[in-house]
Amino acid sequence: MAGKKVLIVYAHQEPRSFNGSLKKVAVDELSAQGCTVTVSDLYAMDFEPRATRKDITGAVSNPKSFNYGVEAYEAFKKGALTSDIIDEQKKVLEADLVIFQNKLALVSLTTGSTSEMYMKTGVSGDYRYFLWPLQHGTLHFCGFKVLAPQISFAPEIASEEERKAMVASWAQRLKTIWEEEPIDCTPPWYFGQ
Ligand code: ZN
């Protein structure tokens, strides 16, 4: 889909890792489609993940009892957040599609456990359970429509062949990503049947 803007939020320390490969095929495939692809490489940027008072420039309105939510919202309205946050907000606003390539988060993630362990009867429980706070509580709450997650199960214990197949299926999915309908991000999707 030429002209679409894609933001990939990428969090891994090693570019030659499996996660690095997933990020690379996404950049390659989407760029080949004519999309403008931006990568926020959080480790390379040394991005500050904590929510602290330092996120706000200038004076806070109640320094005696600091309330991050209130102060950050005030600062947002005044344009007084730090530039690293404003830059990322701008990227999210401009993007048509945001892919979180993150060990912990969503849409495209890798796991330590196998798919069997992430079944309802497995030791980790249904994988949809752990996606609930991320996909629904965070993304949907913030106004995103959520596409089905891309989960690469246990690449560390998979064979080289299996890892290649996982990267290839991600690249294949991206070819038609713009035709996908969002999931029905409601409790039945996560906890139904
Ligand atoms: Zn939802």
Side-chain angles (χ1 to χ4, degrees):
M1 268 287 205
K4 292 276 191 191
K5 288 186 178 165
V6 181
L7 169 63
I8 300 176
V9 181
Y10 170 72
H12 198 282
Q13 306 85 344
E14 173 53 60
R16 281 166 308 200
S17 64
F18 182 76
N19 271 278
S21 303
L22 293 174
K23 187 255 293 171
K24 188 180 179 302
V25 295
V27 172
D28 292 350
E29 168 58 30
L30 294 163
S31 303
Q33 290 176 24
C35 301
T36 306
V37 184
T38 304
V39 177
S40 282
D41 184 338
L42 301 182
Y43 282 98
M45 292 154 71
D46 214 3
F47 187 76
E48 165 62 279
R50 297 171 303 172
T52 74
R53 196 184 284 239
K54 287 183 195 153
D55 291 346
I56 294 145
T57 58
V60 295
S61 46
N62 185 356
K64 286 206 174 110
S65 175
F66 182 74
N67 180 319
Y68 186 85
V70 171
E71 299 288 354
Y73 184 54
E74 288 303 314
F76 169 71
K77 286 191 290 189
K78 289 188 296 195
L81 289 164
T82 50
S83 60
D84 60 331
I85 295 177
I86 292 172
D87 287 349
E88 294 310 301
Q89 287 174 335
K90 216 178 273 171
K91 291 181 200 171
V92 172
L93 280 176
E94 285 176 359
D96 296 301
L97 169 69
V98 182
I99 297 174
F100 292 87
Q101 180 62 55
N102 185 323
K103 280 175 105 73
L104 300 172
L106 46 125
V107 181
S108 177
L109 63 127
T110 58
T111 67
S113 310
T114 63
S115 57
E116 288 75 24
M117 288 156 91
Y118 274 115
M119 299 214 277
K120 193 156 277 190
T121 51
V123 286
S124 308
D126 194 309
Y127 70 86
R128 293 184 177 205
Y129 300 165
F130 76 72
L131 292 172
W132 166 255
L134 299 165
Q135 287 192 167
H136 179 80
T138 303
L139 286 187
H140 191 183
F141 179 76
C142 290
F144 281 96
K145 290 185 176 115
V146 180
L147 296 178
Q150 180 76 21
I151 306 183
S152 305
F153 286 103
E156 282 186 5
I157 54 174
S159 67
E160 188 59 34
E161 289 292 284
E162 288 168 326
R163 275 195 293 271
K164 278 187 182 146
M166 286 191 270
V167 174
S169 77
W170 174 224
Q172 186 61 34
R173 180 183 174 190
L174 288 167
K175 288 185 193 298
T176 52
I177 198 80
W178 303 104
E179 294 157 28
E180 287 191 19
E181 291 290 328
I183 62 164
D184 178 27
C185 187
T186 56
W189 190 88
Y190 296 89
F191 306 106
Q193 45 198 302

